Amino acid sequence: MMTISTVLVANRGEIACRIFRTVRAMGLRSVAVYSEADADAPHVQLADASVCIGPAPASESYLNADAILAAARATGADAIHPGYGFLSENANFAAACENAGMRFIGPGADAIEIMGNKAESKRRMIAAGVPCIPGYEGVDQHDNALISASERIGFPLMVKAAAGGGGRGMRLVHNPAELLGALQRARSEALNAFGSEELILERAVLQPRHVEIQIFADTQGQVIHLGERDCSVQRRHQKVLEESPCPVMTDTLREAMGEAAVKVAQAIQYRGAGTVEFLLDAQQNFYFLEMNTRLQVEHPVTELVTGQDLVEWQIRIAQGEALPCTQDHIRLQGHAMEARLYCEDPAEDFLPATGHIDQWQPPSGAGVRIDDGIRSGADVSPYYDPMVAKVIAHGPTRDVARRRLIRALKDSTLFGPKNNKAFLISALEHEAFASGQATTAFIGEQFPDGFDQSADPRLPAVAAVLLRQLQAAEHQAASLSSLSELRNWSSGFNPTYTSRFGTGDDDPLLRLQAHDGAFRVSDGEKTWEITLPSGIEAARGQAVFEVDGEPVQVSYLRMGYADLWLSHEGREVRFIDRLTTPESATAAGGTGDVSAPMHGVVLDVHVKPGDRVARGDALAVLEAMKMQHELTSAVSGTVVEVRAKAGQQVAADDILIRIDDTLVEAAEEG
């Protein structure tokens, strides 16, 4: 048995921080690796030693196996934990660690290679008698072979990258006319993401639940499972909410799915932590989907309901120890839920967002756990996945866990990049989720028109009063003779102030009139009576107003004299008084300007100057944060300028293509 003394974590962000906590608790030494963009990241500060492994792009740092192995040798690490993502499911990296005399805290290279290919893994599982979705996993990858197979499978069907995961290289195809285009796009995305064009086809199981089983195997041949997680709430085939137990699970079904998952691990002589993913239909039939040969993002919900530390199990098994218990000892206690906090814009199809974090204030409370890897003052980089934290809640029942999670999200603040916190709250509060009815179709069914990010309409009035009081407190503190009791007082009339919050001159003008320790605020159409909280200048970012007699609690962060972040019920808005602060310059551009929605690489441009386009036509393809995004025209018109070319790195809001819609109108009139 090999004793591990120093663990290098070949990862970043929240998962690196989470692994380091267990490494430290076990009395082991820890080593962090970081890119130039992560030099001041929290995971670097938590480790006993750290090594820079390259520039910001992941391909030159966190995916650079040679640099990571060199860092391990330089720091005396005898084990490497890959976390999830990056090199965690790279068979060559696992083999290289072992060949270098370092223990890879994960399965063997052979198991990773088998399960890393959806076609090969499915062939193995069919042979092992594990239930699988009917489809095509053949070696002939020509279009004709796939089209022929689709006729046997039937529609709708799923096109999937054999080497992929996380929704990349995946397309839902409703009819034969869509198939060829879906094959071409899936191949392109799969090649860019995984270096392989191999595809499989599967019959689409519509509106299933996504249920996965956590397994562990030791080197003595023992395999057990630790129950299930329901991960059905997803966008772009990527999980957003996870929970354990599954709301529709029965003891009989759990036993059957657990036995199937154990059979999967036994069929490939698995070692360590793994997750076997299944689709569960309405009739409680389940089908093997894939196996993740690593620790899952959502492992905390299993830890909370089992009381086990899965990272500690991983490290002990990597040392050659036996599993710490048998199947009979595993009991699920209570209920746990996890919400993934992403910097992304739910109102714009969940496009990733980047930027400076003005403030991150995680919540606390009974039954709440936070796994994060960010801090106030840091930046969310365009180079990595936009998930920045996980908020997890545990309770004696599902509803208690759900309510605790909602409260925790509402009590947190993430001032800076756009994020999905308000969407998570809305999803958790939705009746379909609250009643345990959510399937993989949940977001599409319950939010068919996207998610409305708009905040409480009373907030501009509250922000105006709050900003006025903060300014008055600042002025009063600077005065040698002014008394706080005289603030907003006048001998002859009730003082009136004006503010304009927004981005331009069309935003409503707010008029604030002070009277009797309160403010009357009007936007010309509606008037609110707002009572001030006491001691607001010392409130440390929290205040409770009364608006028309109803309490409104907010968290806030003042950025400048007339610049204020406000958070209310999970929605965060930045208010700038445009009457006090000059408007920020904005890039020129009419309705025909097509801008990059995020940092990324232009993969393809479909148009050239002079081309006529219609509203909705595809113009270009942008790859960002491991996904391909098709850019379409918002107008009909003529392309007058193309600034982008394939292979070009672009920043968010860069204008890529300009279209003049008046040229089409003139042509139609003529």
Side-chain angles (χ1 to χ4, degrees):
M1 185 173 73
M2 171 187 173
T3 301
I4 293 171
S5 63
T6 301
V7 177
L8 181 147
V9 177
N11 218 296
R12 65 180 299 278
E14 66 85 15
I15 187 57
C17 294
R18 184 266 168 274
I19 294 168
F20 285 143
R21 286 196 294 272
T22 290
V23 170
R24 182 175 294 275
M26 293 178 69
L28 307 178
R29 181 169 168 266
S30 58
V31 178
V33 293
Y34 62 94
S35 71
E36 292 173 359
D38 280 342
D40 297 321
H43 79 277
V44 178
Q45 311 303 319
L46 283 177
D48 296 313
S50 59
V51 179
C52 181
I53 52 172
S59 60
E60 301 177 46
S61 52
Y62 297 106
L63 292 174
N64 187 338
D66 290 339
I68 291 170
L69 290 171
R73 285 190 291 268
T75 55
D78 47 21
I80 294 179
H81 196 306
Y84 55 74
F86 295 130
L87 294 171
S88 63
E89 294 179 286
N90 186 301
N92 292 333
F93 181 64
C97 291
E98 300 290 346
N99 292 337
M102 301 166 197
R103 188 56 55 94
F104 180 76
I105 302 178
D110 290 345
I112 295 175
E113 187 169 7
I114 291 169
M115 286 303 177
N117 184 289
K118 285 184 171 65
E120 176 61 22
S121 64
K122 192 171 179 181
R123 290 191 287 264
R124 293 279 189 123
M125 294 307 103
I126 291 171
V130 177
C132 292
I133 304 170
Y136 176 79
E137 53 280 337
V139 295
D140 188 347
Q141 290 289 300
H142 292 95
D143 286 346
N144 289 340
L146 294 167
I147 292 171
S148 177
S150 73
E151 295 170 355
R152 171 180 55 81
I153 298 167
F155 292 85
L157 59 77
M158 295 297 298
V159 177
K160 295 183 177 181
R168 298 182 294 281
M170 185 182 295
R171 294 291 185 278
L172 172 62
V173 182
H174 296 278
N175 56 65
E178 299 175 359
L179 181 59
L180 190 58
L183 293 175
Q184 293 170 346
R185 182 56 60 80
R187 280 197 187 101
S188 172
E189 196 166 275
L191 183 62
N192 281 301
F194 312 112
S196 170
E197 292 183 306
E198 186 179 6
L199 303 175
I200 66 170
L201 304 180
E202 288 182 343
R203 179 185 300 163
V205 181
L206 300 179
Q207 298 183 322
R209 288 180 181 270
H210 185 128
V211 180
E212 59 191 30
I213 304 291
Q214 175 72 62
I215 64 98
F216 259 91
D218 61 23
T219 55
Q220 285 79 42
Q222 302 175 84
V223 185
I224 66 172
H225 72 84
L226 287 82
E228 80 285 350
R229 297 184 289 258
D230 189 314
C231 309
S232 299
V233 180
Q234 305 176 7
R235 85 282 185 271
R236 294 197 303 267
H237 306 290
Q238 292 181 314
K239 303 163 189 173
V240 179
L241 296 173
E242 299 102 352
E243 62 181 305
S244 181
C246 168
V248 298
M249 188 59 62
T250 65
D251 291 341
T252 301
L253 180 59
R254 179 178 293 119
E255 183 177 358
M257 294 183 74
E259 288 179 355
V262 167
K263 188 182 295 185
V264 169
Q266 291 171 332
I268 59 172
Q269 290 80 54
Y270 198 76
R271 177 191 77 207
T275 302
V276 183
E277 303 196 354
F278 296 97
L279 292 183
L280 178 67
D281 68 18
Q283 290 72 46
Q284 295 206 321
N285 301 306
F286 61 90
Y287 306 95
F288 172 79
L289 186 62
E290 65 181 354
M291 183 181 191
N292 292 128
T293 55
R294 53 170 168 77
L295 192 69
Q296 291 282 87
V297 175
E298 58 273 20
H299 76 276
V301 297
T302 296
E303 293 186 322
L304 290 175
V305 295
T306 62
Q308 304 296 330
D309 184 330
L310 301 193
V311 174
E312 181 175 350
W313 279 35
Q314 284 187 294
I315 294 172
R316 295 197 179 283
I317 288 172
Q319 289 184 145
E321 298 181 30
L323 285 168
C325 63
T326 65
Q327 189 67 61
D328 292 340
H329 291 99
I330 300 300
R331 295 285 185 272
L332 306 186
Q333 301 292 328
H335 203 101
M337 284 186 185
E338 174 180 292
R340 300 189 187 188
L341 187 57
Y342 286 93
C343 283
E344 62 184 14
D345 189 355
E348 294 293 335
D349 196 28
F350 301 96
L351 285 177
T354 59
H356 188 72
I357 299 173
D358 294 318
Q359 184 184 80
W360 162 237
Q361 182 62 52
S364 60
V368 174
R369 166 176 163 177
I370 307 298
D371 284 13
D372 61 8
I374 57 172
R375 58 175 175 77
S376 300
D379 292 308
V380 176
S381 168
Y383 295 102
Y384 315 117
D385 188 272
M387 191 186 78
V388 293
K390 300 180 306 196
V391 183
I392 315 107
H394 181 252
T397 66
R398 183 176 188 270
D399 198 53
V400 170
R402 184 182 68 89
R403 291 180 184 277
R404 283 178 173 174
L405 184 53
I406 292 169
R407 185 72 265 159
L409 288 166
K410 288 183 176 180
D411 287 347
S412 68
T413 56
L414 179 54
F415 293 142
K418 292 180 180 179
N419 62 77
N420 69 332
K421 185 151 63 76
F423 169 77
L424 293 170
I425 294 168
S426 183
L428 288 163
E429 290 179 333
H430 200 286
E431 174 58 30
F433 184 87
S435 60
Q437 302 303 309
T439 70
T440 56
F442 172 78
I443 292 179
E445 289 178 346
Q446 307 305 332
F447 301 90
D449 300 320
F451 178 68
D452 183 6
Q453 286 274 65
S454 59
D456 190 318
R458 299 172 298 178
L459 284 193
V462 170
V465 172
L466 174 57
L467 188 58
R468 170 61 200 163
Q469 287 303 101
L470 291 172
Q471 291 170 346
E474 182 178 302
H475 294 161
Q476 195 263 331
S479 172
L480 297 178
S481 58
S482 176
L483 298 175
S484 60
E485 292 84 353
L486 299 180
R487 190 181 305 162
N488 298 318
W489 180 86
S490 171
S491 61
F493 62 95
N494 291 327
T496 299
Y497 312 96
T498 56
S499 297
R500 172 174 278 129
F501 288 123
T503 58
D505 292 334
D506 293 335
D507 294 298
L509 192 70
L510 296 176
R511 297 190 180 278
L512 293 72
Q513 188 173 52
H515 68 98
D516 300 328
F519 275 94
R520 184 173 293 115
V521 184
S522 175
D523 65 0
E525 294 184 1
K526 184 166 179 57
T527 300
W528 299 272
E529 197 76 21
I530 301 180
T531 302
L532 305 172
S534 60
I536 192 170
E537 62 271 18
R540 289 175 166 254
Q542 301 265 333
V544 180
F545 293 81
E546 278 195 10
V547 182
D548 295 334
E550 181 181 346
V552 175
Q553 181 172 343
V554 298
S555 299
Y556 65 89
L557 176 68
R558 191 175 178 197
M559 300 295 294
Y561 182 75
D563 188 349
L564 189 72
W565 275 109
L566 215 61
S567 177
H568 173 64
E569 293 294 298
R571 281 173 164 79
E572 291 149 346
V573 186
R574 189 170 182 176
F575 293 102
I576 300 175
D577 186 350
R578 303 291 167 177
L579 294 185
T580 305
T581 302
E583 292 180 22
S584 300
T586 57
T591 56
D593 288 348
V594 179
S595 302
M598 70 204 82
H599 290 65
V601 178
V602 177
L603 292 185
D604 199 6
V605 179
H606 303 317
V607 295
K608 61 184 183 300
D611 286 352
R612 295 271 294 274
V613 296
R615 180 184 175 89
D617 281 357
L619 304 175
V621 178
L622 182 71
E623 184 178 62
M625 294 187 175
K626 302 184 284 188
M627 296 291 291
Q628 290 187 12
H629 307 273
E630 189 173 68
L631 306 183
T632 59
S633 179
V635 299
S636 296
T638 300
V639 177
V640 295
E641 184 180 5
V642 177
R643 299 182 180 180
K645 61 182 179 181
Q648 179 182 350
Q649 288 268 1
V650 295
D653 299 324
D654 281 356
I655 295 176
L656 308 182
I657 298 167
R658 308 197 83 158
I659 299 167
D660 191 336
D661 58 349
T662 62
L663 295 180
V664 163
E665 294 173 1
E668 290 173 347
E669 290 171 359

